[in-house]
Amino acid sequence: MIKIYYALKPPNGTKAYDFWLLKQASKARKFYMGTYYIPSKKLYVPVFKRIGGADPRAFLEVKPSELRSAFKMVCIEGCGQCCERNSNARIMESEVEQLGIELRNKPSYTLKLIDGTEEKIYRLDTRKGGQCAFYNPSRKRCVLGKKKPILCLIHYCTAFAERVEGGRKRKYVKVSSKFLPEGRVEMVFEPVSEEEWEEIKKMVRRGTNVWRAVAEILRRRNLPKAES
C-alpha cells in the first residue's frame, strides 16, 4: 500500500483564503514533516503525514516518490534573520488558545475567512524594524520554541535545503527561482560540500545576510550570483 502525504496548497495572496489555509495547517501541526520544494510539482509547500481534523480541501496529495526527490528546507541555528527585521509575524487567536500562549496588548484585527468563520489575527512584528515580539536577539532564537505560530513554523527563507542521497543528507543552496502561474515556482539548487556548508554557517552566524553568504560561496566557484 502506497502511503500518501499531504501538502498545504499555495496561498493566493488574499487574506481570507491564506489565513484559512494557515488555520487548517495549525490543526495538523503535530503531523508537520517539514517544508519542501517538490520539483515534480514545482511547488514550495509545507508537508504533513496526516491532516487530522483539518479540512482536506486545503491540501494536495503527495506521493512518497515525489517527496524523496524533493528538497527539504533547513534553517541555520543562530541565524534569526527572518525574525529580527521585517518579520511580518502573525498568530491566530485559535492558535493562542491551542498553544497556551499569553499575549499582552498586541495589535489585532478580525478577519472573515472563506468558510464564513471569523478569526482574530494578532500582529507580532511590533518591535523596531518589524522584529517579532517573541524573538530573543541575544540568543537569536524564538522564545516560544515549539509553540511558535504555524506561519513561523512552516516559513523558511529558501536559501538552504537538504536532500537524502545514498543514505546521507546532502546540503544545497538555492541559486535561482522563477515564479509560475497558480502558485507554482521553479527553484534551482546547487549542492555544497561539508566545508562550504560550515563556512556558510560561520558567515550567517556572524551576521552576514543569508543571500550574501550564498553568493560568496558561489563567487568562489565562479558560478552565477544567488537569487532570493
Side-chain angles (χ1 to χ4, degrees):
M1 182 177 179
I2 299 177
K3 182 176 178 62
I4 295 295
Y5 299 111
Y6 301 89
L8 190 69
K9 290 181 178 179
N12 66 9
T14 60
K15 288 185 177 181
Y17 179 74
D18 293 352
F19 275 99
W20 175 77
L21 286 178
L22 287 173
K23 189 169 185 178
Q24 304 315 311
S26 71
K27 292 179 180 180
R29 70 178 288 147
K30 68 179 180 180
F31 303 118
Y32 174 65
M33 299 171 61
T35 298
Y36 294 78
Y37 173 63
I38 306 175
S40 60
K41 291 183 178 294
K42 288 185 168 51
L43 286 175
Y44 166 67
V45 284
V47 177
F48 302 80
K49 290 182 181 179
R50 295 190 292 277
I51 60 174
D55 191 326
R57 294 175 296 177
F59 300 86
L60 300 167
E61 292 188 350
V62 177
K63 297 176 182 177
S65 58
E66 293 176 310
L67 210 56
R68 282 194 293 270
S69 63
F71 296 89
K72 184 179 182 180
M73 300 300 113
V74 295
C75 183
I76 293 176
E77 186 176 352
C79 173
Q81 293 180 28
C82 290
C83 310
E84 65 185 5
R85 53 184 175 271
N86 302 319
S87 68
N88 198 34
R90 302 287 189 274
I91 190 169
M92 297 175 286
E93 186 169 50
S94 56
E95 287 186 276
V96 174
E97 298 168 355
Q98 175 189 357
L99 300 173
I101 298 171
E102 183 178 350
L103 293 180
R104 294 181 180 178
N105 303 320
K106 295 293 184 292
S108 64
Y109 57 91
T110 300
L111 184 65
K112 188 173 184 179
L113 307 182
I114 61 166
D115 60 0
T117 62
E118 291 188 343
E119 183 71 42
K120 194 171 186 178
I121 313 297
Y122 293 92
R123 282 187 52 206
L124 302 180
D125 57 344
T126 52
R127 292 180 183 166
K128 185 178 179 180
Q131 185 178 110
C132 179
F134 288 108
Y135 178 64
N136 184 325
S138 61
R139 294 191 174 185
K140 294 190 174 183
R141 65 178 60 182
C142 176
V143 300
L144 295 176
K146 294 181 179 180
K147 290 187 175 183
K148 65 176 64 176
I150 190 68
L151 176 62
C152 303
L153 181 67
I154 65 177
H155 172 76
Y156 286 81
C157 70
T158 73
F160 312 118
E162 65 183 17
R163 185 164 65 176
V164 177
E165 299 174 358
R168 297 181 60 187
K169 291 181 180 179
R170 189 172 190 183
K171 294 295 190 292
Y172 285 79
V173 295
K174 191 177 77 173
V175 297
S176 68
S177 61
K178 178 183 178 182
F179 291 102
L180 305 173
E182 299 179 348
R184 299 179 187 274
V185 62
E186 190 170 61
M187 295 183 179
V188 177
F189 289 89
E190 177 74 18
V192 293
S193 67
E194 291 184 11
E195 292 77 13
E196 289 173 323
W197 179 243
E198 289 302 316
E199 183 59 29
I200 288 172
K201 289 196 295 184
K202 288 178 183 178
M203 285 191 284
V204 170
R205 287 168 179 166
R206 288 197 299 261
T208 302
N209 175 274
V210 293
W211 297 109
R212 288 182 181 174
V214 172
E216 174 59 21
I217 292 297
L218 298 180
R219 183 192 66 79
R220 296 175 188 178
R221 293 188 185 179
N222 295 317
L223 288 176
K225 183 180 178 182
E227 298 178 10
S228 60

